[in-house]
Amino acid sequence: MSLTNLQHLIETKQAVIGVIGLGYVGLPVAGRLAQVGFRVIGVDVKAERVALINAGRNPIDGDEPGLAELLAAVTATLTPAPLPGRERGGSQPDRAGLSFYTTTEYQELAQADVVLIDVETPVDADHTPRYEALKNACRSLGAVMKKGTLVIVESTVAPGTTGQVIRPLLEEASGWQADRDFFLGACPERVMPGKLLLNLRTMSRVCGGGTPETAAAMVAFYRHLVEADLDVADIVTAEVVKTAENAYRDVQIAFANEVALICEAVGADVWQVRELVNKVPYRQMHLPGAGVGGHCIPKDPWLLAYGAAGRAPVRLIPAARAINDGMPHHVADLTIEALQAAGVPLDQARVAVLGYAYLADSDDTRHSPSEALVGRLRELGLQVAIHDPWVRAYQGDLWALLSGCDAAVVMVAHRAYYDLDSNRLATTLRTPILIDGRHVSQADKAQAAGLFYRAVGQGDNGNVKRET
């Protein structure tokens, strides 16, 4: 199939779309594509997730406006039907009666005209990309895809990965040549938990094509989904843009965190400092806090650096990563200092960690700063109890969990933790200590209730050592 024919299929919504990976990135885009009129085949290695989606149920917890309703709508009252094979695929079943069907079988992607790759791309402890899922997806897709398929990498990868890793794997598995027998591009996702559908619709995208004609076909495809700018570029530029934008955010957060540490040391309040700094034109100091988590920001700076490994000096990215990774340990230090000031022996202390997701009102625990905090506290011999209203393993009665604890440590700005009743907190805790890592409490209210209060970025708030 030529790109001209493919673009016609895309523009008329006759193209069959495959989506590999049905997590935070792939699931909303697959559902939205089905909603606007495409037939979509989703592939995921997790059979339980596939079964939930085919039953019209949303496997993603957390506050995701519209996603559950969307999935229920695009999977409802539809029955499977066979689709004639095209080139590869023969007579395998394809559930043509479904606008959105998910499976664990790559063979069904033999019908797809456009395939999106949305698998995870983590990094190792030494900051090297781990591309096992990506490589497996490419090999499996290459073995079944038909000629003329447009493959778009939405996963975030190190600059150069699409050309140096993905393209050779697809060519080897298929026996075909990119830009001649199939078409390859990169259009990195720009979604985030809590705003999956909103960002999919409203955020601009970079359509990096292996050729200008491929990029034009990508623009035609994403125009069905995106109401913002669709910028044309080459593949490497698209890869750099995505990793650079997250590295930029990481560096900015690291600056805010370093200022917060300075404010603690000199007795200032970082929140007042931030407000006043941001009154100056062209200044936009980010929010400090207890750490940076999620699948993207902790790893994408390393992907950006990896793309130039040995060819360009990289100094700022490692420094920013060290600052942000150190914030959970700093919260642990604040907790230890408060316990010691209150006369609580560490080997008898019990601490309640409030929030285990990395993001407010989300169930996403990937690279959670709370995990690092919990590990550090337990390493020091403390008992730790965990609460999170969105993470299933840690749901339950918050106040029952707080009873008998010597400190409450707020690590996530869930709505449930804003303006906790300070008086109730002071009488429920065995030792009235509140450590605020996300600026969800008011110091004056906490102290008036008798809480020993410490917060990231706030210097001496007039606390005194209290005997218990």
Side-chain angles (χ1 to χ4, degrees), residues 382-452:
L382 284 73
Q383 300 177 52
V384 179
I386 304 169
H387 179 271
D388 193 297
W390 294 105
V391 180
R392 293 182 184 182
Y394 304 119
Q395 292 171 343
D397 188 308
L398 170 61
W399 295 99
L401 179 135
L402 289 168
S403 179
C405 288
D406 297 292
V409 182
V410 180
M411 287 293 289
V412 185
H414 291 313
R415 284 193 295 264
Y417 300 148
Y418 268 88
D419 292 324
L420 287 172
D421 186 327
S422 295
N423 291 313
R424 185 178 180 186
L425 188 60
T427 57
T428 300
L429 289 167
R430 184 168 62 191
T431 307
I433 294 172
L434 174 61
I435 310 296
D436 189 350
R438 295 297 179 184
H439 196 51
V440 302
S441 304
Q442 296 181 34
D444 54 351
K445 287 185 178 180
Q447 292 165 1
L451 288 162
F452 187 101

Side-chain angles (χ1 to χ4, degrees), residues 239-251:
E239 293 170 330
V240 172
V241 167
K242 176 56 192 292
T243 50
E245 69 187 48
N246 280 340
Y248 172 84
R249 181 160 170 77
D250 194 46
V251 168

Side-chain angles (χ1 to χ4, degrees), residues 24-212:
Y24 290 90
V25 176
L27 183 58
V29 73
R32 181 68 179 132
L33 285 165
Q35 185 183 45
V36 301
F38 286 99
R39 192 161 64 80
V40 181
I41 303 167
V43 175
D44 197 281
V45 296
K46 297 180 180 178
E48 181 180 0
R49 176 176 294 173
V50 166
L52 283 172
I53 298 169
N54 283 337
R57 296 169 58 189
N58 178 16
I60 297 175
D61 291 328
D63 186 11
E64 286 298 343
L67 184 58
E69 296 80 0
L70 171 60
L71 294 177
V74 299
T75 57
T77 64
L78 297 168
T79 56
L83 177 75
R86 303 187 206 164
E87 294 190 36
R88 288 192 184 185
S91 60
Q92 73 274 9
D94 193 82
R95 285 85 173 174
L98 293 168
S99 61
F100 176 34
Y101 175 78
T102 62
T103 176
T104 59
E105 299 298 325
Y106 273 85
Q107 184 63 39
E108 297 203 22
L109 294 180
Q111 318 303 327
D113 301 295
V114 180
V115 178
L116 310 181
I117 298 179
D118 290 315
V119 299
E120 64 178 1
T121 53
V123 296
D124 279 330
D126 64 355
H127 317 311
T128 301
R130 281 177 41 207
Y131 286 152
E132 288 87 350
L134 180 64
K135 291 178 180 179
N136 289 337
C138 291
R139 294 188 186 100
S140 299
L141 171 62
V144 302
M145 71 178 185
K146 63 188 183 70
K147 278 192 175 182
T149 300
L150 170 59
V151 180
I152 303 175
V153 182
E154 293 196 318
S155 299
T156 303
V157 295
T161 299
T162 303
Q164 298 168 18
V165 177
I166 296 171
R167 176 173 177 154
L169 287 172
L170 290 173
E171 289 181 333
E172 180 181 1
S174 66
W176 295 326
Q177 183 177 327
D179 301 330
R180 185 190 70 186
D181 303 313
F182 69 94
F183 310 102
L184 182 61
C187 186
E189 52 82 14
R190 276 178 167 161
V191 298
M192 68 177 295
K195 299 180 180 179
L196 295 178
L197 291 176
L198 177 65
N199 282 13
L200 179 61
R201 178 172 58 85
T202 62
M203 295 289 286
S204 66
R205 301 287 288 271
V206 181
C207 297
T211 66

